[in-house]
Amino acid sequence: MSVIKVAILGFGTVGEGVYRTIQSHAQELEGVLGKRVEVAAVLIRNKHKKRNINEDVLVTADFNEILSLPQLDVIVEAIVNKEPTFTFLKQAIQRGCHIITANKEMFAHHGNELLELAKHHNVSVGYEATVAGGIPVIQTLRQLLNVNRVHHVQGILNGTSNFILTEMREKKQSFVDALSLAQAKGFAEADPTNDVEGFDAFYKTMILSRIAFGEEPNWEDVEREGITSITSELIEAAERLGLRFKHIASISKKGDQIKASVRPVLVGKSHPFYSIEGVENAVNVYTDLVGSITLQGPGAGMFPTASAAIEDLVYVCQNKLTKKYFTKTPAIHLRDKKEHEDELWIIQGLTKDYNNPLITWITQSSAETAIIRTNTELIKQLISEQNIKCCFQILGEFEIESNDKEVTLAAI
Ligand SMILES: NC(=O)c1ccc[n+]([C@@H]2O[C@H](COP(=O)([O-])OP(=O)(O)OC[C@H]3O[C@@H](n4cnc5c(N)ncnc54)[C@H](OP(=O)(O)O)[C@@H]3O)[C@@H](O)[C@H]2O)c1
């Protein structure tokens, strides 16, 4: 029986998870592929680290040694940073290997070039592990895209930020204490900037946009805000209204325009993300035919991420990953919809004597904190022209739970 030879780049959380899964699920892989899957080589940086790798596997810090192997079918990449990763993967494709990557930063920047190159060399690229860890969101979207038209995708895409927001709410901790706990538990890097400032979620959002719409917005036009401005007082005040802060990535298509944002928003009990807690991730897709679908699950970790890479391994070996995600989806025209949709916002610093017919006042407290219904364009205008202290969108509908029907954000 012939063999599929795999090289794994990186032997950290993800690389080791892939290595172990190829061993532990050898029977399943052979069953579905009709061939034995064998790890031929592992690329690492530090040759002196002790690792639990079989002796017949080439362990090297020199990528050229891997490229020179007599048989090499698939490269699973689980290292960090854009370079030298991008260069390695280009060389692998040119050699005729299928590639699978978990590296969202590299793939957000260079995914299109890799996909084009792979098309030219008639090999496949798997990148399920770049978005939402173990949740099979890319495969699901790809299936839906056969006929459904995606209107919008929303996601909690960064487990570290979600963990911090959950800890702050449940344990009444400060941002700094919750971040330290995330670091102690291994959920956050020593430098947490990518996670808490929303860069990690931003890269994943751009990858999702390509899958859902065949294109992405101009990166400069995407509002990216992390969770560092969220205080425990804000979280408590929101909770009194039955709302929770979530760091949410949104992408939608209206007409032929793609809009995207990554920012903290508030959700009520009826929103599918209200109960997504800790390091969990979730993705909600809204399409014209099926309506709303939510997938949730582990957004990171050794075996959940290895699961995504291994499922990709099956797809690339079967050459099932088609090239259709290069195609732009048609313009979305919703009947009976206004150009600027009204949304619910909590806003502080706007007094009720500010008169604008485009604002519907839902309720207001004496502390100049109000819930209003208006559109994003007007919110942007208010923020630039008025003395707005804070402002967060509320996703979905919600009931004000306070007895006196007054907003009680005075603590902010
Ligand atoms: N951790 C997760 O749950 C998760 C989930 C989804 C996606 N990802 C993505 O998957 C990738 C890997 O993450 P990870 O958590 O597994 O990282 P990690 O634990 O830090 O491991 C990185 C591995 O890559 C090796 N490496 C780094 N730079 C290298 C280079 N230039 N040449 C050769 N080897 C190099 C390291 O070698 P040494 O061992 O010698 O230092 C290490 O084995 C990242 O892009 C990450 O964003 C991670």
Side-chain angles (χ1 to χ4, degrees):
M1 175 177 286
S2 57
V3 173
I4 293 168
K5 296 261 188 185
V6 177
I8 302 173
L9 313 190
F11 203 73
T13 309
V14 180
E16 184 169 355
V18 170
Y19 177 77
R20 288 186 189 286
T21 306
I22 288 176
Q23 291 177 324
S24 63
H25 289 64
Q27 227 178 322
E28 287 82 354
L29 282 168
E30 194 171 327
V32 69
L33 291 170
K35 290 179 182 178
R36 199 155 46 79
V37 176
E38 198 178 287
V39 177
V42 172
L43 183 79
I44 40 75
R45 203 169 21 187
N46 178 356
K47 280 167 101 172
H48 306 292
K49 237 188 237 178
K50 265 200 141 315
R51 313 183 196 252
N52 197 359
I53 302 176
N54 284 349
E55 275 175 9
D56 56 353
V57 176
L58 167 71
V59 179
T60 176
D62 179 0
F63 185 61
N64 287 322
E65 280 195 65
I66 292 182
L67 276 186
S68 314
L69 286 170
Q71 185 192 340
L72 186 59
D73 302 299
V74 184
I75 285 201
V76 181
E77 181 267 312
I79 56 180
V80 289
N81 299 331
K82 298 195 285 280
E83 284 295 354
T85 321
F86 177 48
T87 306
F88 288 169
L89 293 184
K90 272 194 297 189
Q91 290 172 329
I93 291 173
Q94 278 153 354
R95 196 206 134 146
C97 295
H98 300 297
I99 59 164
I100 292 164
T101 180
N103 187 334
K104 52 257 173 177
E105 182 177 4
M106 181 282 301
F107 200 75
H109 284 90
H110 299 300
N112 284 338
E113 287 150 275
L114 289 175
L115 288 165
E116 287 289 355
L117 192 65
K119 192 176 170 187
H120 186 68
H121 289 269
N122 201 25
V123 291
S124 291
V125 180
Y127 50 100
E128 184 69 71
T130 58
V131 180
I135 308 174
V137 56
I138 290 175
Q139 284 300 344
T140 305
L141 272 169
R142 209 174 263 147
Q143 293 297 322
L144 285 175
L145 277 179
N146 284 323
V147 180
N148 272 263
R149 287 181 187 160
V150 178
H151 288 189
H152 75 239
V153 182
Q154 290 176 346
I156 293 181
L157 300 178
N158 184 270
T160 309
S161 294
N162 204 49
F163 174 83
I164 292 171
L165 291 176
T166 306
E167 283 295 307
M168 288 173 75
R169 194 191 75 250
E170 283 181 350
K171 315 250 172 74
K172 313 237 175 295
Q173 286 188 359
S174 68
F175 172 80
V176 173
D177 288 345
L179 172 61
S180 300
L181 184 66
Q183 285 167 325
K185 282 181 172 277
F187 300 148
E189 306 277 329
D191 176 2
T193 313
N194 257 352
D195 291 326
V196 298
E197 295 293 357
F199 290 102
D200 175 80
F202 170 82
Y203 296 139
K204 293 166 175 172
T205 308
M206 294 304 100
I207 296 170
L208 272 183
S209 179
R210 279 180 222 154
I211 288 286
F213 303 113
E215 59 182 327
E216 55 196 285
N218 282 333
W219 284 21
E220 301 75 41
D221 298 339
V222 179
E223 185 193 341
R224 179 198 45 78
E225 190 188 332
I227 57 164
T228 48
S229 64
I230 309 295
T231 60
S232 22
E233 288 78 17
L234 270 171
I235 287 177
E236 251 183 72
E239 212 182 7
R240 285 199 295 275
L241 291 166
L243 296 167
R244 286 181 182 171
F245 275 99
K246 298 288 168 190
H247 190 242
I248 293 184
S250 304
I251 329 154
S252 59
K253 184 161 184 171
K254 280 190 190 136
D256 55 9
Q257 246 208 327
I258 309 272
K259 282 199 169 167
S261 64
V262 177
R263 57 186 172 151
V265 296
L266 290 158
V267 296
K269 286 193 179 101
S270 62
H271 193 279
F273 293 170
Y274 184 81
S275 311
I276 306 298
E277 301 281 49
V279 288
E280 289 272 291
N281 279 196
V283 177
N284 175 263
V285 184
Y286 188 86
T287 81
D288 61 345
L289 297 178
V290 73
S292 170
I293 294 173
T294 302
L295 297 166
Q296 72 180 82
M302 182 177 269
F303 292 109
T305 313
S307 160
I310 290 292
E311 295 296 346
D312 268 352
L313 180 76
V314 171
Y315 276 99
V316 298
C317 290
Q318 294 173 332
N319 228 343
K320 272 194 183 166
L321 293 181
T322 63
K323 315 294 182 294
K324 72 180 173 189
Y325 36 92
F326 282 96
T327 320
K328 273 191 200 177
T329 57
I332 301 282
H333 295 293
L334 302 175
R335 265 173 284 136
D336 308 325
K337 292 272 179 182
K338 287 190 263 172
E339 192 189 341
H340 297 304
E341 256 336 89
D342 279 356
E343 296 140 348
L344 276 177
W345 297 82
I346 274 191
I347 190 161
Q348 193 183 37
L350 191 69
T351 48
K352 206 168 178 180
D353 49 21
Y354 179 84
N355 223 338
N356 188 316
L358 294 176
I359 295 180
T360 309
W361 295 81
I362 306 296
T363 184
Q364 186 184 28
S365 76
S366 52
E368 293 180 4
T369 303
I371 295 180
I372 60 173
R373 194 180 278 284
T374 190
N375 64 61
T376 313
E377 300 311 311
L378 187 63
I379 287 288
K380 282 185 194 156
Q381 191 186 323
L382 290 175
I383 289 170
S384 70
E385 290 173 6
Q386 302 289 314
N387 187 23
I388 303 299
K389 291 179 193 128
C390 69
C391 176
F392 297 100
Q393 191 184 345
I394 303 171
L395 288 186
E397 292 303 323
F398 87 108
E399 298 260 319
I400 297 170
E401 290 184 349
S402 171
N403 288 340
D404 55 6
K405 299 283 173 195
E406 272 214 332
V407 184
T408 50
L409 288 179
I412 295 172

